[in-house]
Amino acid sequence: MSAPPIALLNARLVDPERETERRGGLLAIDGVIAGVGPEVTRAQLPPEARIVECAGDVVAPGLVDMRVFIGEPGAEHRETIASASAAAAGGGVTSLVMRPDTSPPVDDPAVVDFILRRARDDAKVRVFPSAALTKNLAGREIAEIGLLAEAGAIAFSDGARSVAEAQTMRRAMTYARDFDALVAPVCEDESLRGEGVMAEGLRASWLGLPGVPREAETIVLERDLRLVGLTGARYHAAIVSNRLSLEAMRRAREDGLAATCGVSINNLTLNELDVGDYRTFLKLSPPLRSEEERIALVEALGDGLVDVIASDHDPQDVETKRLPFAEAAAGAIGVETMLSASLRLVTAGHLSLPRLLRAMTLRPAQILRLPVGRLSVGAPADVIRFDPDEPYVLDPAHLHSRCRNTPFDEARLEGRVKLTLVAGRVAHE
């Protein structure tokens, strides 16, 4: 059954494709945008349309989150497709890409089919599975990338792990290229990371914690970029977090490689000082780094070197977080707070709102080759409404995720989402 017409009037329309703002309205009919701009007025609407008076709130495309952990199948106590999609809708995320490190991992077309069927039944937003690069995420034998892509996998990685063997990664990229599949891994040399639990440096020394050098990320990224040049694969570095990695990406762009990269909202808005006195909710992978590194990431986002902001949503339960810092699991939830946290960058004057939203809507949609992320006639009516200036204090008890490990516990934020439409239907209000 098609979605009933809905009109959002008197809105501040933010178009990330043109990086413009204007006043007007938006009309969605049958799940697509039928009109957008000042010409959408009450007099032009079909009589059966529901009217939402926005009173100057921002109306923008729904966010596209490229990196979300969902525990289904196998770890439903951490997150289910239903709970993750409810959290996503509450945060203005209308499309999300699910990590493949479930149990069993997404290395078989049957698991892809299970996720897609469960998403059709339970999800409030669009859920796209990513699949494993190697069988059982073991880093040795490449997965059946062609069959997984045919089943519906939209990207390929080994979840939280890098592929250690360069020859295995080369074969995976070559295979992925033949099927025009997107390779989107994290980059970390596990042997160089060792026992490190936060960014290597003075702060880690003060806290008496083993550090992770920046090179653990950058060495693997540079290797992968060389292999992209060798194979011609479509490549997206899921998370970069330091200036060395940014320099590697810049050189790759100058050499003509079509590689892209993302950054976690945590590394964009927090730094190593936020760890405080061993706050385990701030134990993350990649770790929070210095303020200078954070500013470098923000500047790279502003000039387009960094393409995408991701939530890096990683629910952890109480048993794995309420431990000594060195023993606690890394990760934080973030899909519901990504928009509000990112608005700090606009408030601080680092980015315009259209440029910020571009990194969370249009660019990830382009990299994933999805038709969403646009505020134009004919595009899917995946739309959000929010007031970027409305303040609130985050209460984790009000979040939709099954876990509460947010780095923004009791933080002062702005920009609560008031309405989320997916294909013209209300997913959150």
Side-chain angles (χ1 to χ4, degrees):
M1 190 171 68
S2 60
I6 185 169
L8 283 59
L9 301 182
N10 191 24
R12 178 182 163 194
L13 302 168
V14 177
D15 184 343
E17 189 169 16
R18 299 172 184 83
E19 295 195 34
T20 59
E21 298 185 33
R22 55 179 173 159
R23 286 282 184 157
L26 181 143
L27 174 63
I29 299 177
D30 292 335
V32 299
I33 298 174
V36 60
E39 66 275 12
V40 178
T41 62
R42 197 175 292 264
Q44 305 295 323
L45 301 179
E48 70 275 19
R50 177 191 168 189
I51 297 173
V52 177
E53 179 57 50
C54 294
D57 288 345
V58 168
V59 168
L63 310 187
V64 180
D65 192 347
M66 291 185 69
R67 188 167 172 79
V68 176
F69 178 85
I70 299 176
E72 192 171 5
E76 288 84 355
H77 64 287
R78 289 172 62 188
E79 199 79 283
T80 64
I81 288 173
S83 63
S85 70
V93 173
T94 54
S95 298
L96 62 85
V97 179
M98 179 177 158
R99 275 171 39 182
D101 40 346
T102 51
S103 182
V106 189
D107 62 355
D108 186 289
V111 184
V112 176
D113 183 63
F114 167 83
I115 291 168
L116 291 172
R117 285 187 289 107
R118 187 57 59 92
R120 282 194 294 268
D121 293 340
D122 296 348
K124 292 185 173 184
V125 302
R126 303 181 196 269
V127 174
F128 299 95
S130 63
L133 271 175
T134 66
K135 292 184 179 180
N136 205 34
L137 309 174
R140 291 187 291 272
E141 185 180 356
I142 61 174
E144 292 287 352
I145 293 174
L147 294 177
L148 291 162
E150 186 179 345
I154 197 171
F156 292 83
S157 76
D158 272 0
R161 302 177 184 174
S162 288
V163 176
E165 292 288 338
Q167 183 67 274
T168 303
M169 191 60 165
R170 178 186 181 179
R171 288 172 178 154
M173 284 191 184
T174 303
Y175 195 17
R177 177 204 64 203
D178 292 343
F179 292 97
D180 197 24
L182 178 68
V183 178
V186 295
C187 297
E188 185 177 59
D189 186 311
E190 292 187 17
S191 65
L192 192 53
R193 181 194 67 194
E195 300 299 318
V197 294
M198 70 176 293
E200 186 174 272
L202 190 57
R203 182 67 181 166
S205 298
W206 282 345
L207 293 174
L209 295 171
V212 182
R214 298 180 300 174
E215 288 80 0
E217 171 182 293
T218 307
I219 285 171
V220 176
L221 175 63
E222 289 183 325
R223 179 206 70 179
D224 283 1
L225 292 171
R226 294 280 184 178
L227 293 175
V228 171
L230 186 63
T231 63
R234 291 173 57 212
Y235 181 84
H236 175 77
I239 302 291
V240 297
S241 66
N242 69 73
R243 282 177 291 183
L244 298 179
S245 295
L246 294 175
E247 291 165 8
M249 283 301 306
R250 195 177 301 279
R251 288 193 299 272
R253 298 275 177 90
E254 290 170 354
D255 290 343
L257 296 184
T260 57
C261 67
V263 63
S264 163
I265 187 61
N266 301 314
N267 292 103
L268 270 183
T269 58
L270 301 167
N271 66 34
E272 61 188 359
L273 298 180
D274 290 298
V275 172
D277 294 327
Y278 309 99
R279 295 177 60 204
T280 59
F281 283 8
L282 278 296
K283 183 180 179 182
L284 305 169
S285 181
L288 298 177
R289 303 194 186 276
S290 68
E291 177 65 4
E292 291 77 16
E293 297 279 15
R294 186 189 74 82
I295 292 298
L297 293 172
V298 174
E299 291 173 348
L301 181 66
D303 68 21
L305 180 62
V306 169
D307 300 270
V308 170
I309 300 172
S311 72
D312 202 17
H313 180 78
D314 192 358
Q316 301 289 345
D317 58 25
V318 172
E319 286 75 15
T320 61
K321 275 295 186 182
R322 300 212 180 277
L323 294 169
F325 193 92
E327 299 172 21
I333 59 173
V335 70
E336 196 164 353
T337 53
M338 178 169 66
L339 176 60
S340 289
S342 70
L343 290 172
R344 291 178 168 185
L345 304 176
V346 176
T347 303
H350 294 303
L351 295 168
S352 68
L353 184 58
R355 172 52 64 99
L356 176 74
L357 289 175
R358 181 183 178 88
M360 294 188 287
T361 58
L362 181 70
R363 283 302 288 140
Q366 288 174 331
I367 292 166
L368 294 165
R369 297 183 177 173
L370 298 175
V372 298
R374 293 170 172 81
L375 207 65
S376 54
V377 173
D382 292 6
V383 177
I384 58 173
R385 171 200 174 192
F386 65 96
D387 179 355
D389 301 316
E390 180 181 338
Y392 68 99
V393 176
L394 182 70
D395 181 353
H398 293 158
L399 296 175
H400 293 85
S401 176
R402 286 202 162 188
C403 294
R404 298 287 181 262
N405 58 311
T406 172
F408 300 103
D409 189 354
E410 298 184 353
R412 297 180 181 275
L413 298 172
E414 295 177 330
R416 196 191 301 272
V417 174
K418 298 180 178 179
L419 178 68
T420 301
L421 300 180
V422 178
R425 293 188 177 277
V426 175
H428 167 80
E429 189 169 18

